[in-house]
Short mmCIF file of all heavy atoms in Angstrom, two decimals:
data_model
loop_
_atom_site.label_atom_id
_atom_site.label_comp_id
_atom_site.label_asym_id
_atom_site.label_seq_id
_atom_site.Cartn_x
_atom_site.Cartn_y
_atom_site.Cartn_z
N MET A 195 11.90 26.69 -5.33
CA MET A 195 11.03 25.75 -4.65
C MET A 195 10.15 25.07 -5.70
O MET A 195 9.53 25.73 -6.52
CB MET A 195 10.18 26.52 -3.64
CG MET A 195 9.12 25.70 -2.99
SD MET A 195 8.38 26.47 -1.55
CE MET A 195 7.19 27.55 -2.31
N SER A 196 10.09 23.79 -5.66
CA SER A 196 9.31 23.00 -6.59
C SER A 196 8.22 22.26 -5.83
O SER A 196 8.52 21.52 -4.89
CB SER A 196 10.24 22.02 -7.31
OG SER A 196 9.51 21.15 -8.11
N LEU A 197 6.98 22.45 -6.22
CA LEU A 197 5.86 21.84 -5.52
C LEU A 197 5.19 20.77 -6.36
O LEU A 197 5.05 20.93 -7.58
CB LEU A 197 4.81 22.90 -5.17
CG LEU A 197 5.24 24.00 -4.21
CD1 LEU A 197 4.18 25.09 -4.15
CD2 LEU A 197 5.50 23.44 -2.84
N THR A 198 4.76 19.71 -5.70
CA THR A 198 3.97 18.67 -6.34
C THR A 198 2.69 18.50 -5.53
O THR A 198 2.47 19.18 -4.53
CB THR A 198 4.74 17.34 -6.40
OG1 THR A 198 5.00 16.90 -5.07
CG2 THR A 198 6.04 17.49 -7.17
N TRP A 199 1.85 17.57 -5.94
CA TRP A 199 0.55 17.37 -5.30
C TRP A 199 0.66 17.03 -3.82
O TRP A 199 -0.28 17.26 -3.06
CB TRP A 199 -0.23 16.28 -6.03
CG TRP A 199 -0.62 16.72 -7.40
CD1 TRP A 199 -0.13 16.24 -8.58
CD2 TRP A 199 -1.55 17.74 -7.75
NE1 TRP A 199 -0.70 16.90 -9.64
CE2 TRP A 199 -1.58 17.83 -9.16
CE3 TRP A 199 -2.37 18.60 -7.02
CZ2 TRP A 199 -2.39 18.72 -9.83
CZ3 TRP A 199 -3.19 19.50 -7.69
CH2 TRP A 199 -3.19 19.55 -9.09
N SER A 200 1.76 16.51 -3.37
CA SER A 200 1.88 16.08 -1.97
C SER A 200 2.11 17.23 -1.00
O SER A 200 1.99 17.05 0.20
CB SER A 200 2.99 15.03 -1.83
OG SER A 200 4.22 15.58 -2.22
N GLU A 201 2.42 18.42 -1.49
CA GLU A 201 2.66 19.58 -0.61
C GLU A 201 1.39 20.41 -0.43
O GLU A 201 1.35 21.60 -0.75
CB GLU A 201 3.80 20.45 -1.17
CG GLU A 201 5.17 19.93 -0.90
CD GLU A 201 5.66 19.00 -2.00
OE1 GLU A 201 5.32 19.18 -3.17
OE2 GLU A 201 6.40 18.09 -1.65
N SER A 202 0.36 19.80 0.10
CA SER A 202 -0.95 20.47 0.20
C SER A 202 -0.90 21.73 1.06
O SER A 202 -1.52 22.74 0.73
CB SER A 202 -2.02 19.51 0.72
OG SER A 202 -1.66 18.99 1.97
N ARG A 203 -0.18 21.69 2.16
CA ARG A 203 -0.11 22.86 3.05
C ARG A 203 0.52 24.05 2.32
O ARG A 203 -0.01 25.16 2.33
CB ARG A 203 0.68 22.51 4.31
CG ARG A 203 1.04 23.67 5.22
CD ARG A 203 -0.10 24.37 5.91
NE ARG A 203 -1.10 23.47 6.45
CZ ARG A 203 -2.37 23.84 6.66
NH1 ARG A 203 -2.77 25.07 6.40
NH2 ARG A 203 -3.24 23.00 7.14
N GLU A 204 1.64 23.84 1.67
CA GLU A 204 2.33 24.91 0.96
C GLU A 204 1.48 25.45 -0.20
O GLU A 204 1.41 26.66 -0.43
CB GLU A 204 3.69 24.44 0.44
CG GLU A 204 4.69 24.14 1.53
CD GLU A 204 4.60 22.71 2.08
OE1 GLU A 204 3.63 21.97 1.76
OE2 GLU A 204 5.48 22.34 2.87
N ILE A 205 0.83 24.54 -0.91
CA ILE A 205 -0.03 24.96 -2.02
C ILE A 205 -1.21 25.77 -1.50
O ILE A 205 -1.56 26.80 -2.07
CB ILE A 205 -0.50 23.73 -2.83
CG1 ILE A 205 0.69 23.08 -3.54
CG2 ILE A 205 -1.58 24.13 -3.83
CD1 ILE A 205 0.40 21.74 -4.16
N GLY A 206 -1.81 25.32 -0.40
CA GLY A 206 -2.91 26.06 0.20
C GLY A 206 -2.50 27.47 0.60
O GLY A 206 -3.26 28.43 0.40
N GLU A 207 -1.31 27.62 1.14
CA GLU A 207 -0.80 28.94 1.52
C GLU A 207 -0.62 29.83 0.29
O GLU A 207 -0.96 31.02 0.32
CB GLU A 207 0.51 28.80 2.29
CG GLU A 207 0.33 28.18 3.67
CD GLU A 207 1.63 27.81 4.34
OE1 GLU A 207 2.72 28.01 3.74
OE2 GLU A 207 1.57 27.29 5.47
N LEU A 208 -0.08 29.27 -0.77
CA LEU A 208 0.12 30.05 -1.99
C LEU A 208 -1.21 30.46 -2.62
O LEU A 208 -1.35 31.58 -3.11
CB LEU A 208 0.95 29.26 -3.01
CG LEU A 208 2.42 29.08 -2.67
CD1 LEU A 208 3.08 28.12 -3.65
CD2 LEU A 208 3.13 30.43 -2.68
N LEU A 209 -2.18 29.55 -2.59
CA LEU A 209 -3.49 29.89 -3.13
C LEU A 209 -4.14 31.01 -2.32
O LEU A 209 -4.77 31.91 -2.88
CB LEU A 209 -4.40 28.65 -3.18
CG LEU A 209 -4.03 27.62 -4.23
CD1 LEU A 209 -4.84 26.34 -4.03
CD2 LEU A 209 -4.23 28.16 -5.64
N PHE A 210 -3.97 30.97 -1.01
CA PHE A 210 -4.51 32.04 -0.18
C PHE A 210 -3.84 33.37 -0.51
O PHE A 210 -4.51 34.40 -0.60
CB PHE A 210 -4.36 31.73 1.31
CG PHE A 210 -4.84 32.85 2.18
CD1 PHE A 210 -6.19 33.14 2.26
CD2 PHE A 210 -3.96 33.63 2.89
CE1 PHE A 210 -6.65 34.19 3.04
CE2 PHE A 210 -4.40 34.68 3.68
CZ PHE A 210 -5.75 34.96 3.75
N GLU A 211 -2.55 33.35 -0.71
CA GLU A 211 -1.84 34.59 -1.07
C GLU A 211 -2.34 35.15 -2.41
O GLU A 211 -2.50 36.36 -2.56
CB GLU A 211 -0.34 34.34 -1.16
CG GLU A 211 0.33 34.11 0.17
CD GLU A 211 1.80 33.74 0.03
OE1 GLU A 211 2.39 33.97 -1.05
OE2 GLU A 211 2.36 33.21 1.01
N LYS A 212 -2.59 34.26 -3.35
CA LYS A 212 -2.98 34.69 -4.69
C LYS A 212 -4.46 35.04 -4.78
O LYS A 212 -4.84 35.97 -5.50
CB LYS A 212 -2.64 33.59 -5.70
CG LYS A 212 -2.80 34.00 -7.13
CD LYS A 212 -2.17 33.01 -8.07
CE LYS A 212 -2.29 33.50 -9.50
NZ LYS A 212 -1.60 32.65 -10.43
N TYR A 213 -5.30 34.30 -4.07
CA TYR A 213 -6.75 34.48 -4.14
C TYR A 213 -7.31 34.72 -2.74
O TYR A 213 -8.24 34.05 -2.30
CB TYR A 213 -7.42 33.24 -4.75
CG TYR A 213 -6.89 32.86 -6.11
CD1 TYR A 213 -5.99 31.80 -6.26
CD2 TYR A 213 -7.28 33.55 -7.25
CE1 TYR A 213 -5.51 31.45 -7.51
CE2 TYR A 213 -6.79 33.20 -8.50
CZ TYR A 213 -5.91 32.15 -8.62
OH TYR A 213 -5.44 31.80 -9.86
N ASP A 214 -6.76 35.68 -2.03
CA ASP A 214 -7.05 35.86 -0.61
C ASP A 214 -8.50 36.19 -0.29
O ASP A 214 -8.98 35.89 0.79
CB ASP A 214 -6.13 36.91 0.02
CG ASP A 214 -6.34 38.29 -0.53
OD1 ASP A 214 -6.66 38.42 -1.73
OD2 ASP A 214 -6.20 39.25 0.24
N SER A 215 -9.23 36.79 -1.21
CA SER A 215 -10.62 37.13 -0.91
C SER A 215 -11.62 36.05 -1.33
O SER A 215 -12.81 36.17 -1.08
CB SER A 215 -11.00 38.45 -1.58
OG SER A 215 -10.95 38.33 -2.98
N VAL A 216 -11.14 34.98 -1.95
CA VAL A 216 -12.01 33.89 -2.41
C VAL A 216 -12.17 32.86 -1.29
O VAL A 216 -11.18 32.37 -0.74
CB VAL A 216 -11.41 33.21 -3.66
CG1 VAL A 216 -12.23 32.00 -4.07
CG2 VAL A 216 -11.27 34.20 -4.80
N ASN A 217 -13.42 32.55 -0.96
CA ASN A 217 -13.67 31.48 0.00
C ASN A 217 -13.36 30.15 -0.69
O ASN A 217 -14.01 29.80 -1.67
CB ASN A 217 -15.13 31.51 0.46
CG ASN A 217 -15.45 30.46 1.50
OD1 ASN A 217 -14.79 29.43 1.59
ND2 ASN A 217 -16.48 30.70 2.28
N PRO A 218 -12.38 29.40 -0.19
CA PRO A 218 -11.98 28.15 -0.84
C PRO A 218 -13.12 27.15 -0.98
O PRO A 218 -13.11 26.34 -1.90
CB PRO A 218 -10.89 27.60 0.08
CG PRO A 218 -10.40 28.78 0.83
CD PRO A 218 -11.55 29.71 0.97
N ARG A 219 -14.09 27.22 -0.10
CA ARG A 219 -15.22 26.28 -0.17
C ARG A 219 -16.12 26.56 -1.37
O ARG A 219 -16.94 25.73 -1.73
CB ARG A 219 -16.03 26.32 1.12
CG ARG A 219 -15.28 25.72 2.28
CD ARG A 219 -16.14 25.69 3.50
NE ARG A 219 -15.49 24.95 4.57
CZ ARG A 219 -15.96 24.90 5.79
NH1 ARG A 219 -17.07 25.53 6.12
NH2 ARG A 219 -15.32 24.21 6.71
N SER A 220 -15.97 27.73 -1.99
CA SER A 220 -16.79 28.07 -3.15
C SER A 220 -16.12 27.68 -4.47
O SER A 220 -16.72 27.84 -5.53
CB SER A 220 -17.09 29.57 -3.15
OG SER A 220 -15.91 30.31 -3.45
N VAL A 221 -14.91 27.16 -4.41
CA VAL A 221 -14.14 26.85 -5.62
C VAL A 221 -14.45 25.43 -6.09
O VAL A 221 -14.35 24.47 -5.33
CB VAL A 221 -12.63 27.02 -5.36
CG1 VAL A 221 -11.82 26.65 -6.60
CG2 VAL A 221 -12.32 28.44 -4.92
N ARG A 222 -14.84 25.31 -7.34
CA ARG A 222 -15.14 24.00 -7.93
C ARG A 222 -13.84 23.21 -8.14
O ARG A 222 -12.78 23.81 -8.38
CB ARG A 222 -15.87 24.16 -9.25
CG ARG A 222 -17.22 24.83 -9.10
CD ARG A 222 -17.89 24.99 -10.42
NE ARG A 222 -17.01 25.77 -11.30
CZ ARG A 222 -17.33 26.17 -12.51
NH1 ARG A 222 -18.49 25.90 -13.01
NH2 ARG A 222 -16.48 26.86 -13.24
N PRO A 223 -13.92 21.89 -8.07
CA PRO A 223 -12.71 21.06 -8.23
C PRO A 223 -11.93 21.34 -9.51
O PRO A 223 -10.71 21.38 -9.50
CB PRO A 223 -13.24 19.62 -8.19
CG PRO A 223 -14.50 19.72 -7.40
CD PRO A 223 -15.10 21.07 -7.73
N GLY A 224 -12.62 21.54 -10.61
CA GLY A 224 -11.94 21.82 -11.87
C GLY A 224 -11.17 23.13 -11.84
O GLY A 224 -10.06 23.22 -12.37
N ASP A 225 -11.76 24.14 -11.19
CA ASP A 225 -11.07 25.42 -11.06
C ASP A 225 -9.88 25.29 -10.12
O ASP A 225 -8.81 25.85 -10.39
CB ASP A 225 -12.03 26.50 -10.54
CG ASP A 225 -13.09 26.87 -11.56
OD1 ASP A 225 -12.83 26.70 -12.77
OD2 ASP A 225 -14.17 27.31 -11.14
N LEU A 226 -10.07 24.56 -9.02
CA LEU A 226 -8.96 24.35 -8.08
C LEU A 226 -7.79 23.66 -8.78
O LEU A 226 -6.64 24.10 -8.64
CB LEU A 226 -9.44 23.52 -6.89
CG LEU A 226 -8.39 23.19 -5.83
CD1 LEU A 226 -7.79 24.45 -5.22
CD2 LEU A 226 -8.99 22.30 -4.75
N LEU A 227 -8.07 22.65 -9.54
CA LEU A 227 -7.02 21.95 -10.29
C LEU A 227 -6.27 22.92 -11.19
O LEU A 227 -5.03 22.95 -11.18
CB LEU A 227 -7.65 20.82 -11.11
CG LEU A 227 -6.71 20.03 -12.00
CD1 LEU A 227 -5.83 19.11 -11.18
CD2 LEU A 227 -7.50 19.23 -13.01
N LYS A 228 -6.99 23.73 -11.94
CA LYS A 228 -6.35 24.69 -12.85
C LYS A 228 -5.53 25.71 -12.07
O LYS A 228 -4.39 26.03 -12.46
CB LYS A 228 -7.39 25.40 -13.69
CG LYS A 228 -6.79 26.41 -14.65
CD LYS A 228 -7.83 27.10 -15.47
CE LYS A 228 -7.31 28.14 -16.43
NZ LYS A 228 -6.00 28.63 -16.28
N TRP A 229 -6.05 26.23 -10.98
CA TRP A 229 -5.35 27.24 -10.20
C TRP A 229 -4.06 26.68 -9.60
O TRP A 229 -3.06 27.38 -9.53
CB TRP A 229 -6.24 27.81 -9.12
CG TRP A 229 -7.38 28.64 -9.65
CD1 TRP A 229 -7.66 28.92 -10.97
CD2 TRP A 229 -8.38 29.29 -8.89
NE1 TRP A 229 -8.78 29.71 -11.05
CE2 TRP A 229 -9.25 29.96 -9.78
CE3 TRP A 229 -8.65 29.38 -7.53
CZ2 TRP A 229 -10.35 30.70 -9.36
CZ3 TRP A 229 -9.75 30.12 -7.11
CH2 TRP A 229 -10.58 30.77 -8.03
N VAL A 230 -4.10 25.43 -9.17
CA VAL A 230 -2.89 24.80 -8.63
C VAL A 230 -1.84 24.64 -9.73
O VAL A 230 -0.68 25.02 -9.57
CB VAL A 230 -3.20 23.44 -7.97
CG1 VAL A 230 -1.91 22.70 -7.61
CG2 VAL A 230 -4.07 23.62 -6.73
N VAL A 231 -2.26 24.08 -10.85
CA VAL A 231 -1.33 23.85 -11.96
C VAL A 231 -0.73 25.16 -12.46
O VAL A 231 0.43 25.20 -12.87
CB VAL A 231 -2.05 23.09 -13.11
CG1 VAL A 231 -1.20 23.02 -14.36
CG2 VAL A 231 -2.42 21.68 -12.63
N ASP A 232 -1.49 26.24 -12.36
CA ASP A 232 -1.01 27.55 -12.82
C ASP A 232 -0.07 28.25 -11.84
O ASP A 232 0.52 29.28 -12.18
CB ASP A 232 -2.20 28.48 -13.11
CG ASP A 232 -2.94 28.09 -14.38
OD1 ASP A 232 -2.41 27.29 -15.17
OD2 ASP A 232 -4.07 28.59 -14.57
N LEU A 233 0.09 27.72 -10.63
CA LEU A 233 1.01 28.33 -9.67
C LEU A 233 2.44 28.27 -10.22
O LEU A 233 2.85 27.25 -10.80
CB LEU A 233 0.96 27.62 -8.32
CG LEU A 233 -0.30 27.83 -7.49
CD1 LEU A 233 -0.30 26.90 -6.28
CD2 LEU A 233 -0.44 29.28 -7.06
N GLU A 234 3.17 29.33 -10.03
CA GLU A 234 4.52 29.46 -10.60
C GLU A 234 5.45 28.32 -10.19
O GLU A 234 6.21 27.81 -11.01
CB GLU A 234 5.11 30.79 -10.18
CG GLU A 234 6.46 31.08 -10.78
CD GLU A 234 6.97 32.44 -10.40
OE1 GLU A 234 6.17 33.38 -10.27
OE2 GLU A 234 8.20 32.57 -10.23
N ASP A 235 5.41 27.91 -8.93
CA ASP A 235 6.34 26.90 -8.43
C ASP A 235 5.82 25.47 -8.52
O ASP A 235 6.49 24.54 -8.08
CB ASP A 235 6.71 27.19 -6.97
CG ASP A 235 7.48 28.49 -6.82
OD1 ASP A 235 8.23 28.83 -7.76
OD2 ASP A 235 7.35 29.15 -5.78
N PHE A 236 4.65 25.29 -9.11
CA PHE A 236 4.07 23.95 -9.18
C PHE A 236 4.62 23.20 -10.38
O PHE A 236 4.61 23.70 -11.50
CB PHE A 236 2.55 24.02 -9.26
CG PHE A 236 1.91 22.68 -9.15
CD1 PHE A 236 1.81 22.05 -7.92
CD2 PHE A 236 1.43 22.04 -10.26
CE1 PHE A 236 1.24 20.80 -7.81
CE2 PHE A 236 0.86 20.78 -10.17
CZ PHE A 236 0.77 20.16 -8.95
N THR A 237 5.11 21.98 -10.13
CA THR A 237 5.70 21.19 -11.21
C THR A 237 4.95 19.88 -11.49
O THR A 237 5.35 19.13 -12.37
CB THR A 237 7.17 20.85 -10.89
OG1 THR A 237 7.22 20.10 -9.68
CG2 THR A 237 8.01 22.11 -10.78
N GLY A 238 3.89 19.63 -10.74
CA GLY A 238 3.12 18.40 -10.95
C GLY A 238 2.31 18.46 -12.24
O GLY A 238 2.17 19.51 -12.87
N LYS A 239 1.78 17.34 -12.61
CA LYS A 239 0.96 17.23 -13.81
C LYS A 239 -0.51 17.18 -13.42
O LYS A 239 -0.86 16.60 -12.40
CB LYS A 239 1.31 15.95 -14.59
CG LYS A 239 2.76 15.85 -14.99
CD LYS A 239 3.06 16.79 -16.11
CE LYS A 239 4.49 16.60 -16.59
NZ LYS A 239 5.08 17.78 -17.09
N PRO A 240 -1.39 17.79 -14.22
CA PRO A 240 -2.82 17.77 -13.88
C PRO A 240 -3.37 16.37 -13.66
O PRO A 240 -4.16 16.14 -12.75
CB PRO A 240 -3.48 18.43 -15.10
CG PRO A 240 -2.41 19.24 -15.73
CD PRO A 240 -1.12 18.52 -15.44
N GLU A 241 -2.93 15.43 -14.46
CA GLU A 241 -3.44 14.06 -14.34
C GLU A 241 -2.92 13.36 -13.09
O GLU A 241 -3.38 12.26 -12.75
CB GLU A 241 -3.13 13.24 -15.59
CG GLU A 241 -1.66 13.11 -15.90
CD GLU A 241 -1.08 14.26 -16.74
OE1 GLU A 241 -1.77 15.25 -17.02
OE2 GLU A 241 0.10 14.14 -17.10
N GLY A 242 -1.98 13.96 -12.38
CA GLY A 242 -1.43 13.36 -11.17
C GLY A 242 -2.24 13.65 -9.92
O GLY A 242 -1.95 13.12 -8.85
N ALA A 243 -3.26 14.48 -10.03
CA ALA A 243 -4.06 14.87 -8.87
C ALA A 243 -5.12 13.84 -8.56
O ALA A 243 -5.82 13.36 -9.44
CB ALA A 243 -4.73 16.21 -9.12
N SER A 244 -5.24 13.53 -7.28
CA SER A 244 -6.34 12.67 -6.84
C SER A 244 -7.38 13.54 -6.15
O SER A 244 -7.10 14.68 -5.74
CB SER A 244 -5.84 11.60 -5.87
OG SER A 244 -5.49 12.17 -4.62
N GLU A 245 -8.56 13.02 -5.98
CA GLU A 245 -9.62 13.76 -5.29
C GLU A 245 -9.19 14.07 -3.86
O GLU A 245 -9.44 15.17 -3.36
CB GLU A 245 -10.91 12.94 -5.30
CG GLU A 245 -12.08 13.66 -4.68
CD GLU A 245 -13.36 12.87 -4.77
OE1 GLU A 245 -13.49 11.97 -5.63
OE2 GLU A 245 -14.27 13.15 -3.97
N ASP A 246 -8.54 13.12 -3.19
CA ASP A 246 -8.08 13.33 -1.82
C ASP A 246 -7.03 14.44 -1.74
O ASP A 246 -7.03 15.22 -0.79
CB ASP A 246 -7.52 12.04 -1.23
CG ASP A 246 -8.59 11.03 -0.90
OD1 ASP A 246 -9.77 11.42 -0.78
OD2 ASP A 246 -8.26 9.84 -0.75
N GLN A 247 -6.14 14.52 -2.71
CA GLN A 247 -5.13 15.56 -2.71
C GLN A 247 -5.77 16.94 -2.91
O GLN A 247 -5.39 17.91 -2.25
CB GLN A 247 -4.08 15.29 -3.78
CG GLN A 247 -3.17 14.14 -3.43
CD GLN A 247 -2.35 13.67 -4.61
OE1 GLN A 247 -2.83 13.63 -5.73
NE2 GLN A 247 -1.10 13.32 -4.34
N LEU A 248 -6.74 17.02 -3.81
CA LEU A 248 -7.43 18.29 -4.02
C LEU A 248 -8.18 18.72 -2.76
O LEU A 248 -8.18 19.89 -2.39
CB LEU A 248 -8.38 18.20 -5.21
CG LEU A 248 -7.72 18.15 -6.58
CD1 LEU A 248 -8.75 17.88 -7.67
CD2 LEU A 248 -6.96 19.44 -6.88
N LYS A 249 -8.80 17.76 -2.08
CA LYS A 249 -9.50 18.07 -0.83
C LYS A 249 -8.53 18.55 0.24
O LYS A 249 -8.83 19.47 0.99
CB LYS A 249 -10.27 16.84 -0.33
CG LYS A 249 -11.51 16.54 -1.12
CD LYS A 249 -12.22 15.32 -0.57
CE LYS A 249 -13.46 15.00 -1.36
NZ LYS A 249 -14.15 13.81 -0.85
N ALA A 250 -7.35 17.94 0.30
CA ALA A 250 -6.34 18.35 1.28
C ALA A 250 -5.84 19.76 0.98
O ALA A 250 -5.64 20.57 1.90
CB ALA A 250 -5.18 17.36 1.29
N ILE A 251 -5.66 20.08 -0.27
CA ILE A 251 -5.23 21.43 -0.67
C ILE A 251 -6.31 22.43 -0.33
O ILE A 251 -6.04 23.49 0.25
CB ILE A 251 -4.89 21.47 -2.18
CG1 ILE A 251 -3.61 20.67 -2.45
CG2 ILE A 251 -4.76 22.91 -2.67
CD1 ILE A 251 -3.35 20.38 -3.91
N GLN A 252 -7.55 22.10 -0.64
CA GLN A 252 -8.66 23.00 -0.34
C GLN A 252 -8.80 23.22 1.16
O GLN A 252 -9.05 24.33 1.62
CB GLN A 252 -9.95 22.46 -0.94
CG GLN A 252 -11.07 23.45 -1.00
CD GLN A 252 -12.21 22.97 -1.87
OE1 GLN A 252 -12.45 21.77 -2.00
NE2 GLN A 252 -12.92 23.90 -2.48
N ALA A 253 -8.61 22.17 1.95
CA ALA A 253 -8.69 22.29 3.41
C ALA A 253 -7.56 23.16 3.95
O ALA A 253 -7.77 23.99 4.84
CB ALA A 253 -8.64 20.90 4.05
N ALA A 254 -6.36 23.01 3.42
CA ALA A 254 -5.23 23.83 3.85
C ALA A 254 -5.47 25.29 3.49
O ALA A 254 -5.19 26.20 4.29
CB ALA A 254 -3.93 23.33 3.21
N TRP A 255 -5.98 25.53 2.30
CA TRP A 255 -6.31 26.88 1.87
C TRP A 255 -7.39 27.46 2.78
O TRP A 255 -7.29 28.60 3.22
CB TRP A 255 -6.77 26.83 0.42
CG TRP A 255 -7.14 28.14 -0.21
CD1 TRP A 255 -6.97 29.40 0.30
CD2 TRP A 255 -7.75 28.31 -1.49
NE1 TRP A 255 -7.43 30.34 -0.59
CE2 TRP A 255 -7.92 29.69 -1.70
CE3 TRP A 255 -8.16 27.43 -2.47
CZ2 TRP A 255 -8.49 30.21 -2.86
CZ3 TRP A 255 -8.72 27.95 -3.63
CH2 TRP A 255 -8.87 29.32 -3.82
N PHE A 256 -8.42 26.66 3.10
CA PHE A 256 -9.49 27.13 3.98
C PHE A 256 -8.95 27.48 5.37
O PHE A 256 -9.39 28.46 5.99
CB PHE A 256 -10.62 26.12 4.08
CG PHE A 256 -11.76 26.60 4.92
CD1 PHE A 256 -12.58 27.63 4.47
CD2 PHE A 256 -11.99 26.07 6.17
CE1 PHE A 256 -13.63 28.10 5.26
CE2 PHE A 256 -13.03 26.54 6.97
CZ PHE A 256 -13.85 27.55 6.50
N ASP A 257 -8.01 26.70 5.88
CA ASP A 257 -7.40 27.02 7.18
C ASP A 257 -6.78 28.43 7.16
O ASP A 257 -6.92 29.18 8.11
CB ASP A 257 -6.34 26.00 7.56
CG ASP A 257 -6.92 24.68 8.01
OD1 ASP A 257 -8.13 24.62 8.32
OD2 ASP A 257 -6.15 23.69 8.06
N GLU A 258 -6.09 28.74 6.09
CA GLU A 258 -5.49 30.07 5.94
C GLU A 258 -6.58 31.14 5.85
O GLU A 258 -6.51 32.18 6.50
CB GLU A 258 -4.60 30.14 4.69
CG GLU A 258 -3.39 29.23 4.74
CD GLU A 258 -2.41 29.64 5.81
OE1 GLU A 258 -2.13 30.84 5.94
OE2 GLU A 258 -1.92 28.74 6.52
N TRP A 259 -7.58 30.88 5.03
CA TRP A 259 -8.68 31.83 4.81
C TRP A 259 -9.45 32.06 6.12
O TRP A 259 -9.79 33.20 6.45
CB TRP A 259 -9.59 31.27 3.73
CG TRP A 259 -10.65 32.21 3.27
CD1 TRP A 259 -10.53 33.16 2.30
CD2 TRP A 259 -11.99 32.29 3.75
NE1 TRP A 259 -11.73 33.82 2.15
CE2 TRP A 259 -12.65 33.30 3.02
CE3 TRP A 259 -12.71 31.58 4.71
CZ2 TRP A 259 -13.97 33.64 3.24
CZ3 TRP A 259 -14.03 31.92 4.93
CH2 TRP A 259 -14.64 32.94 4.21
N LYS A 260 -9.71 30.97 6.83
CA LYS A 260 -10.47 31.04 8.09
C LYS A 260 -9.72 31.90 9.11
O LYS A 260 -10.34 32.64 9.87
CB LYS A 260 -10.69 29.62 8.61
CG LYS A 260 -11.45 29.52 9.90
CD LYS A 260 -11.80 28.09 10.24
CE LYS A 260 -10.56 27.25 10.40
NZ LYS A 260 -10.84 25.90 10.91
N GLY A 261 -8.41 31.80 9.14
CA GLY A 261 -7.63 32.62 10.06
C GLY A 261 -7.78 34.10 9.77
O GLY A 261 -7.70 34.93 10.68
N GLU A 262 -8.02 34.45 8.54
CA GLU A 262 -8.18 35.86 8.13
C GLU A 262 -9.62 36.33 8.24
O GLU A 262 -9.90 37.45 8.67
CB GLU A 262 -7.68 36.03 6.70
CG GLU A 262 -7.71 37.45 6.19
CD GLU A 262 -6.59 38.31 6.75
OE1 GLU A 262 -5.57 37.77 7.20
OE2 GLU A 262 -6.78 39.53 6.73
N TYR A 263 -10.58 35.48 7.80
CA TYR A 263 -11.96 35.91 7.66
C TYR A 263 -12.94 35.22 8.60
O TYR A 263 -14.11 35.57 8.62
CB TYR A 263 -12.44 35.68 6.22
CG TYR A 263 -11.66 36.49 5.22
CD1 TYR A 263 -10.68 35.89 4.42
CD2 TYR A 263 -11.89 37.85 5.07
CE1 TYR A 263 -9.97 36.64 3.49
CE2 TYR A 263 -11.17 38.60 4.14
CZ TYR A 263 -10.21 37.98 3.36
OH TYR A 263 -9.50 38.72 2.46
N GLY A 264 -12.54 34.23 9.34
CA GLY A 264 -13.44 33.49 10.21
C GLY A 264 -14.06 32.31 9.47
O GLY A 264 -13.69 32.01 8.34
N ASP A 265 -15.03 31.65 10.09
CA ASP A 265 -15.61 30.42 9.51
C ASP A 265 -16.60 30.65 8.39
O ASP A 265 -16.98 29.72 7.71
CB ASP A 265 -16.29 29.60 10.60
CG ASP A 265 -15.29 28.90 11.50
OD1 ASP A 265 -14.18 28.61 11.04
OD2 ASP A 265 -15.63 28.66 12.67
N ASP A 266 -17.07 31.86 8.21
CA ASP A 266 -18.10 32.10 7.19
C ASP A 266 -17.44 32.21 5.89
O ASP A 266 -17.38 32.59 4.97
CB ASP A 266 -18.92 33.32 7.54
CG ASP A 266 -19.71 33.10 8.82
OD1 ASP A 266 -20.04 31.96 9.11
OD2 ASP A 266 -19.98 34.09 9.51
#
């Protein structure tokens, strides 16, 4: 499976699996960018990320986290 910036839902799920105890809302954009690029199946380039794509990934990750831990 090869992921790029447009697969925000899949990336969010992988981030939740890898960092399940981290509240996604506490992650700084620079850290989020690095964590996405470091995912094993991610093939996109760091410079290819837009602010909107990072927000979509963070929102997808938060949806997963919220299902496990609630809104807090």
Side-chain angles (χ1 to χ4, degrees):
M195 173 166 82
S196 174
L197 297 170
T198 63
W199 293 111
S200 61
E201 281 90 33
S202 58
R203 170 66 43 205
E204 293 86 351
I205 293 170
E207 291 170 0
L208 289 172
L209 289 170
F210 177 70
E211 288 175 18
K212 189 167 184 175
Y213 304 102
D214 65 326
S215 65
V216 175
N217 182 336
R219 290 184 173 172
S220 71
V221 178
R222 297 179 302 185
D225 291 334
L226 179 60
L227 177 73
K228 180 180 179 344
W229 291 0
V230 171
V231 171
D232 287 346
L233 289 171
E234 184 177 325
D235 294 329
F236 188 76
T237 60
K239 303 286 185 211
E241 60 274 5
S244 71
E245 184 177 338
D246 287 341
Q247 288 167 321
L248 288 173
K249 286 180 181 179
I251 291 167
Q252 195 167 29
W255 181 8
F256 183 70
D257 285 345
E258 296 294 316
W259 188 86
K260 180 172 61 172
E262 184 76 22
Y263 297 104
D265 286 332
D266 295 331

